[in-house]
Amino acid sequence: MFDVVRKSAIPLADQLVARVSELIESGRLPAGSRLPSVRQLARRVGVSVYTVTSAFERLAGKGLIDPRAGAGYFVAPLRSRL
């Protein structure tokens, strides 16, 4: 679901941003869905925690996900994304 291609010229964080954006925009990750924790996703994909954190910060900056202190990251409501 959150795969990356290591041999790609596209940086890993950019790949994660593109993939999560695609999942959200296609409705496969609906509003309110909880994303895996930074550490879980880093382990699952085989990248550093920094890479996932960078991707999540960029997704939050785009209004696609909401960070919730102590709870994790969630797909933002549609109204936040407009």
Side-chain angles (χ1 to χ4, degrees):
M1 180 183 247
F2 298 103
D3 297 328
V4 295
V5 179
R6 292 202 164 278
K7 293 185 180 188
S8 173
I10 301 169
L12 297 173
D14 291 351
Q15 290 182 51
L16 283 174
V17 169
R19 183 64 179 139
V20 174
S21 296
E22 176 187 312
L23 291 170
I24 291 170
E25 291 166 4
S26 71
R28 289 185 60 201
L29 278 175
S33 296
R34 186 171 193 262
L35 297 172
S37 74
V38 170
R39 286 191 175 107
Q40 286 174 334
L41 187 54
R43 240 186 337 267
R44 184 183 305 171
V45 178
V47 298
S48 72
V49 169
Y50 175 80
T51 298
V52 176
T53 300
S54 175
F56 279 8
E57 286 174 357
R58 289 171 42 202
L59 289 161
K62 291 181 169 190
L64 292 174
I65 64 174
D66 289 326
R68 296 184 193 163
Y73 290 87
F74 295 81
V75 176
L78 184 58
R79 70 181 186 292
S80 298
R81 293 184 247 157
L82 300 177

